[in-house]
Amino acid sequence: QVQLVESGGGLVQAGGSLRLSCAASGSIFRINDMGWYRQAPGKQRELVAGITSGGSTNYADSVRGRFTISRDNDKNTVYLQMNSLKPEDTAAYYCNAEIILRPTDYIAYNYWGQGTQVTVYS
């Protein structure tokens, strides 16, 4: 019943910008960490940026200073603002959320978005 829906991917020239959004819906008690991952052809999925429920952030070295992750807890939504895009940023981007479903649960479950393609050309 819980799902994460992504939007905002597309084709962009090098140096341009995109903003990705990911909204969680369904039976949710609490969302802990949220993050953005990406997977380029022939490569492993990697963490791009993460954000805690309190707003603390971390970034991959390759995107630090260019990308900004943020969240709106009232909307259960996480965003990724991507500036100064490079061809090496080309990948499928996936959002992830660590979700507690019930108030008495002791564990959280990871949920993934469907993926959105970002393609950057020179």
Side-chain angles (χ1 to χ4, degrees):
Q1 285 69 36
V2 174
Q3 63 175 350
L4 275 59
V5 179
E6 303 180 21
S7 62
L11 179 66
V12 64
Q13 190 173 20
S17 298
L18 287 173
R19 191 191 192 211
L20 307 183
S21 299
C22 174
S25 62
S27 181
I28 298 171
F29 172 67
R30 176 184 173 89
I31 302 179
N32 293 331
D33 293 355
M34 304 183 81
W36 288 95
Y37 294 73
R38 68 186 181 188
Q39 188 166 22
K43 295 191 175 183
Q44 298 274 24
R45 186 172 299 186
E46 65 172 344
L47 175 66
V48 177
I51 185 167
T52 69
S53 61
S56 297
T57 60
N58 65 282
Y59 298 91
D61 290 341
S62 59
V63 308
R64 186 175 293 108
R66 299 187 298 120
F67 292 9
T68 302
I69 188 171
S70 61
R71 64 190 287 170
D72 185 334
N73 291 332
D74 292 334
K75 297 180 179 179
N76 287 337
T77 300
V78 62
Y79 306 93
L80 186 68
Q81 178 67 46
M82 304 185 293
N83 298 326
S84 302
L85 283 162
K86 305 174 180 179
E88 49 263 47
D89 294 319
T90 295
Y93 283 72
Y94 300 86
C95 65
N96 174 269
E98 185 179 281
I99 297 176
I100 298 174
L101 302 179
R102 302 160 67 100
T104 56
D105 284 350
Y106 296 108
I107 61 172
Y109 298 90
N110 280 322
Y111 291 86
W112 292 91
Q114 81 280 8
T116 184
Q117 180 66 37
V118 172
T119 301
V120 185
Y121 64 93
S122 300

